[in-house]
Amino acid sequence: MRVKRFLLLIFSCIVITSLVAAISPSGHEFSYFDHPSCFKSPTNIPNNRTSSLMRYPFSLSPECTVWTRTCSEEVLKLAKQPENVQWLKSVRRRIHQNPELAFQEFETSRLIRDELTKMEVSFRFPMAVTGIRAVIGTGRPPFVAVRADMDALPIQEAVEWEHKSKVAGKMHACGHDAHVAMLIGAAKILKTREHHLKGTVILLFQPAEEAGNGAKMMIRDGALENVEAIFALHVSYQHPTSVIGSRPGPLLAGCGFFRAVISGKEGRAGNPHRSVDPVLAASAAVISLQGIVAREANPLDSQVISVTSFNGGNNLDMIPDTVVLKGTFRAFSNTSFYQILQRIEEVIVEQASVFRCLATVDFFDKESTIYPPTVNDESMYEHVRKVASDLVGPTNFRVVPPIMGAEDFSFYSEVVPAAFFYIGIMNETLGSVHTGHSPYFMIDEDVLPVGAAAHAAIAERYLNEHH
């Protein structure tokens, strides 16, 4: 008798499910957000679930054995459900109001862990002080990773709005609050579709992108364990909201900094022959540094050397004993980058010696301020292009030029095949037109569900096509 009742209950649930799908109002399709009440939550799911958590016991979505555009559309529908969009905005705004600098993202990390716990997503913490490595899927290969950075900047926000930063002198002026919200949103979608996953998705919430140490420390702590590919995005004020852009090969430059100390002999300015003038030596070095790019670099291989600081004495009647030069250098390949580094040291040291001075050059390698170039693997770029074209349409995917900015995602790309891409936030009506690191930086929040869907579709489709 109990068996008959159980079979009858199952049959009733199936009938109700079909009826719900059939009679849903126009424009509303049955999805993971909606399910008949006869499907009880599993006993290991807490009863105090927040309403933002998607339910996922059954679905009428496609199985996606072979990935099609319909699969991408299903992911995007999940992301754009009204209750999900409101939740994404609330997550981003909470993070925006409480910005935390590199390796201080304690409350941001706590918020992420709380949301993951509500979804019953397992994670490893801590990594790199405040970082998190979350896991969704089968626990078996293939493993694909998606990364978001968490840190804010030491900038006073100048945008007047309801959710302005509450912390004086700190602001999410580079969109990392949105990056975190999108990846949490992707976690919800992927958990909802976990039964579709043909492998394992690793979600990396990384501290200290701005400081340059975050990615290296995450890798050191095992973030890329078993991972065979990794993806990440960055919001861009240069593209209209939700337009996606990337390119194969070099996307962002390698970046380094230097500090040179040129030492001579102090003396009276009226008797220069009794001194050894480091100002003259430093001036010659600055001019000679420009010849590295102008006369030694291939004109088709973009490189930059900029001296940004020149500090000597402050006595108008004295030749100082030292001059300190500071600057930065950029290149799009590791070969060019490290060749520039070598030549900067050689030119400064040798030019100093011409004027009887001594020189030392520090590249801050102990502080990990050297970023290698961010180079997109061609097959991973192509994967992003296909997913983006399905999600936002081929006309809303753009091949972008490389730029001289730098990103510590480059450390991941040195270890496993990787692709980095942009997603637009430009909206002139809202005032979302300012570059990152500006006190007026803001984003069009309509990008949040699209970014979440992009992360989720990139990960799920990768597993589908590489299992």
Side-chain angles (χ1 to χ4, degrees):
M1 180 64 70
R2 289 181 179 177
V3 173
K4 289 182 178 179
R5 288 177 179 174
F6 176 76
L7 292 175
L8 181 60
L9 175 62
I10 294 298
F11 177 77
S12 300
C13 289
I14 293 172
V15 170
I16 293 171
T17 301
S18 301
L19 289 173
V20 170
I23 66 176
S24 291
S26 175
H28 178 77
E29 296 186 15
F30 185 70
S31 76
Y32 292 108
F33 289 94
D34 312 291
H35 66 82
S37 60
C38 65
F39 295 129
K40 303 298 182 182
S41 298
T43 56
N44 64 337
I45 296 180
N47 291 325
N48 62 348
R49 278 284 173 91
T50 64
S51 61
S52 66
L53 180 59
M54 297 182 196
R55 309 172 183 94
Y56 46 88
F58 292 92
S59 168
L60 297 180
S61 65
E63 285 302 317
C64 296
T65 303
V66 175
W67 194 271
T68 65
R69 185 167 186 171
T70 302
C71 302
S72 295
E73 291 171 349
E74 177 72 14
V75 170
L76 189 58
K77 285 178 184 177
L78 289 174
K80 286 190 170 182
Q81 289 286 341
E83 61 268 37
N84 192 53
V85 173
Q86 284 304 116
W87 170 74
L88 283 170
K89 289 180 179 179
S90 72
V91 169
R92 184 254 165 173
R93 291 169 180 177
R94 280 184 284 160
I95 297 171
H96 187 86
Q97 288 179 305
N98 297 282
E100 297 171 300
L101 302 183
F103 297 118
Q104 300 172 17
E105 310 94 336
F106 298 107
E107 293 306 313
T108 303
S109 180
R110 186 192 308 276
L111 181 154
I112 295 166
R113 298 195 310 274
D114 287 347
E115 293 295 337
L116 293 174
T117 299
K118 291 173 187 176
M119 300 177 208
E120 294 196 323
V121 172
S122 62
F123 56 83
R124 187 195 307 176
F125 171 84
M127 302 184 76
V129 185
T130 58
I132 301 163
R133 184 184 195 265
V135 180
I136 301 175
T138 65
R140 298 184 299 275
F143 289 79
V144 62
V146 188
R147 167 270 207 174
D149 37 16
M150 303 187 292
D151 54 324
L153 288 160
I155 294 173
Q156 179 63 45
E157 182 167 7
V159 181
E160 296 298 333
W161 68 304
E162 183 181 356
H163 303 285
K164 181 179 179 178
S165 169
K166 295 179 179 179
V167 185
K170 298 179 184 179
M171 176 190 177
H172 272 290
C174 202
H176 296 187
D177 51 342
H179 299 172
V180 171
M182 291 175 191
L183 193 55
I184 296 176
K188 180 181 285 191
I189 295 169
L190 291 165
K191 187 64 179 178
T192 300
R193 296 177 58 84
E194 191 169 27
H195 57 290
H196 287 304
L197 300 182
K198 295 176 172 60
T200 307
V201 181
I202 305 297
L203 307 175
L204 300 179
F205 296 90
Q206 177 209 306
E209 187 276 327
E210 301 292 354
N213 292 313
K216 292 180 74 172
M217 290 184 64
M218 289 287 286
I219 294 169
R220 181 200 67 188
D221 289 352
L224 294 182
E225 181 182 344
N226 297 322
V227 170
E228 61 182 52
I230 186 169
F231 301 89
L233 63 73
H234 202 294
V235 294
S236 172
Y237 78 101
Q238 295 180 314
H239 305 291
T241 299
S242 299
V243 167
I244 294 174
S246 189
R247 68 175 296 107
L251 177 67
L252 292 159
C255 172
F257 300 91
F258 64 90
R259 177 181 184 271
V261 178
I262 299 174
S263 302
K265 179 183 176 182
E266 187 180 58
R268 291 285 180 181
N271 296 296
H273 61 289
R274 293 179 179 174
S275 69
V276 177
D277 190 352
V279 174
L280 185 60
S283 299
V286 171
I287 298 299
S288 296
L289 286 173
Q290 305 312 306
I292 296 175
V293 173
R295 287 296 176 264
E296 298 180 20
N298 184 332
L300 300 179
D301 180 13
S302 299
Q303 301 173 24
V304 168
I305 300 174
S306 294
V307 177
T308 57
S309 175
F310 190 119
N311 292 307
N314 54 14
N315 188 328
L316 297 180
D317 196 37
M318 294 292 293
I319 292 172
D321 58 353
T322 61
V323 170
V324 178
L325 302 178
K326 297 178 183 178
T328 184
F329 57 103
R330 313 283 171 112
F332 282 109
S333 73
N334 277 319
T335 300
S336 297
F337 182 80
Y338 286 104
Q339 183 177 359
I340 288 177
L341 184 151
Q342 178 184 337
R343 290 293 290 137
I344 288 172
E345 182 169 24
E346 290 173 353
V347 166
I348 292 175
V349 170
E350 296 302 325
Q351 278 290 1
S353 71
V354 169
F355 295 90
R356 300 178 296 146
C357 293
L358 299 175
T360 60
V361 184
D362 180 12
F363 292 98
F364 305 105
D365 47 341
K366 292 182 179 178
E367 288 83 9
S368 299
T369 59
I370 291 179
Y371 291 54
T374 300
V375 180
N376 280 343
D377 178 89
E378 293 204 10
S379 60
M380 297 304 105
Y381 157 79
E382 181 61 20
H383 180 72
V384 169
R385 188 196 64 78
K386 290 189 297 184
V387 171
S389 296
D390 279 355
L391 281 177
V392 298
T395 58
N396 289 318
F397 178 83
R398 298 178 182 176
V399 179
V400 300
I403 62 173
M404 281 292 175
E407 237 284 350
D408 81 344
F409 183 77
S410 57
F411 291 106
Y412 300 111
S413 70
E414 288 192 316
V415 180
V416 295
F420 192 79
F421 62 100
Y422 305 118
I423 187 165
I425 56 168
M426 183 178 68
N427 185 322
E428 294 182 0
T429 302
L430 295 177
S432 179
V433 294
H434 298 281
T435 180
H437 296 219
S438 163
Y440 297 97
F441 179 83
M442 64 180 299
I443 73 164
D444 179 356
E445 291 183 320
D446 286 349
V447 76
L448 297 176
V450 182
H455 276 324
I458 283 170
E460 184 179 341
R461 182 168 181 172
Y462 180 91
L463 298 180
N464 186 292
E465 296 176 354
H466 292 82
H467 74 284

